[in-house]
Amino acid sequence: MRIAFLGLGAIGTPMAVHIAKAHDLTVWNRTGSKAEAFAVAHACSVATSPRAAVAGAEVVITCLSTSAEVEGLLDGPEGLLAGLGKGALFLDCTSGDPGTTRKIGARLASIGVEFADAPVSGGTNGAEAGTLTVMVGGSDAIFQRARPVLECFGRRVEHMGPLGAGDAMKAVNNALLAVNLFAVGEGLTALVKSGISAQKAVEVLNASSGRSFVSEYLVPERVLTRLFPVTFRLALLDKDARIGAEFLEGQGVAGPVLHLASALLAQARAELGEEADYLAPIQLIEQEAGVELRG
């Protein structure tokens, strides 16, 4: 199958690697040198523009930072709309916002291109292992067509509902991740300051009802070790949590907890900068308390 993949970021690159193993792949990236290096390493084609990337493609996959960036690739003489063929399938794996996704879908439908939002969860490790969770929004027929492609990098591929439903699910998921991040960071920091071992506190927490993905995986692997690797930018989690809070508002749910988490992320982003990792707010909590969470 001829597939075009646009967006070779931290998540997109390993996803594209899995596609290249099974399909005839063409890649495009805003930084052209990255796409050229990928094409050499994985024996695939490289395109110099979005239009060239999707020309003749049966399936197009985008994995960018925002829905606005995807929308921005549509127009112009070298844009996606100039190259897409009728009958193509367009899968957007961006963690986007439902409203913009529906706008994009309407434009694509007008030229006979099928479209689904398909954001992913599982981080860089999941992308490399091909075990991502993929949350799909679109018609059932489009989902059935998309599923074999998405299974190249996804272990769990779920149809969430109509167009935009995948984006909504991903945004709420990441907003809940933010809630857990701040809550676990604050709780463990207080326990350590009181004299309790961080390692012991985490072990007991993870054998009790307050455990979460943050406490079971992220804190032991990245915080107690003091590694704090940069795997997912705080700026992106901030964006996702904001989309989640706005989604709640649109559904008539006040959502004070998710709104607070979104506000805390925005504050941490302003203090830590655009390149900080999403776990860096825990370091701010530690600094304020004057302790460190060490194993």
Side-chain angles (χ1 to χ4, degrees):
M1 188 179 296
R2 297 188 304 278
I3 297 180
F5 197 104
L6 296 87
L8 298 173
I11 296 289
T13 295
M15 290 166 60
V17 169
H18 289 291
I19 294 290
K21 294 175 182 177
H23 297 281
D24 180 6
L25 180 66
T26 297
V27 295
W28 176 86
N29 194 65
R30 202 175 301 275
T31 302
S33 58
K34 190 167 187 179
E36 291 166 5
F38 182 97
V40 170
H42 300 287
C44 64
S45 301
V46 61
T48 57
S49 70
R51 175 182 180 173
V54 303
E58 299 166 82
V59 178
V60 174
I61 302 174
T62 46
C63 189
L64 304 178
S65 295
T66 66
S67 292
E69 290 185 13
V70 178
E71 190 174 31
L73 293 184
L74 295 179
D75 297 307
E78 295 302 320
L80 294 172
L81 294 180
L84 281 165
K86 185 176 181 180
L89 173 63
F90 191 137
L91 305 174
D92 183 22
C93 293
T94 302
S95 294
D97 66 272
T100 304
T101 286
R102 288 190 286 268
K103 285 171 53 183
I104 294 171
R107 295 190 66 187
L108 293 173
S110 71
I111 62 169
V113 174
E114 296 187 323
F115 183 58
D117 49 306
V120 302
S121 183
T124 53
N125 289 344
E128 290 166 3
T131 58
L132 293 169
T133 295
V134 190
M135 311 164 200
V136 185
S139 71
D140 185 63
I142 291 175
F143 172 72
Q144 296 302 331
R145 183 182 175 190
R147 185 168 194 157
V149 177
L150 297 173
E151 286 178 340
C152 288
F153 49 77
R155 180 169 60 190
R156 181 162 191 164
V157 180
E158 292 287 345
H159 186 201
M160 302 309 303
L163 195 62
D167 286 337
M169 183 71 239
K170 176 61 186 294
V172 170
N173 175 82
N174 277 20
L176 294 173
L177 169 63
V179 170
N180 277 279
L181 187 155
F182 283 107
V184 172
E186 291 170 358
L188 288 178
T189 297
L191 290 170
V192 170
K193 193 165 185 178
S194 77
I196 296 174
S197 156
Q199 183 69 48
K200 182 63 70 177
V202 169
E203 289 173 359
V204 172
L205 175 62
N206 288 335
S208 305
S209 57
R211 65 187 181 275
S212 66
F213 175 73
V214 174
S215 69
E216 289 186 309
Y217 173 70
L218 296 179
V219 169
E221 294 281 334
R222 305 181 186 186
V223 177
L224 298 188
T225 59
R226 310 310 295 171
L227 293 175
F228 285 100
V230 179
T231 62
F232 180 55
R233 289 193 297 123
L234 173 64
L236 296 178
L237 183 60
D238 175 36
K239 177 262 299 181
D240 292 345
R242 185 171 63 253
I243 293 171
E246 291 169 353
F247 172 72
L248 263 66
E249 288 180 7
Q251 301 306 307
V253 177
V257 174
L258 296 194
H259 276 84
L260 176 57
S262 178
L264 290 172
L265 283 173
Q267 181 180 335
R269 178 180 179 179
E271 185 169 347
L272 294 166
E274 295 301 294
E275 300 306 316
D277 184 70
Y278 73 119
L279 290 184
I282 291 179
Q283 292 173 295
L284 291 181
I285 296 169
E286 292 176 324
Q287 291 166 14
E288 184 176 347
V291 298
E292 287 187 348
L293 304 179
R294 288 186 175 271

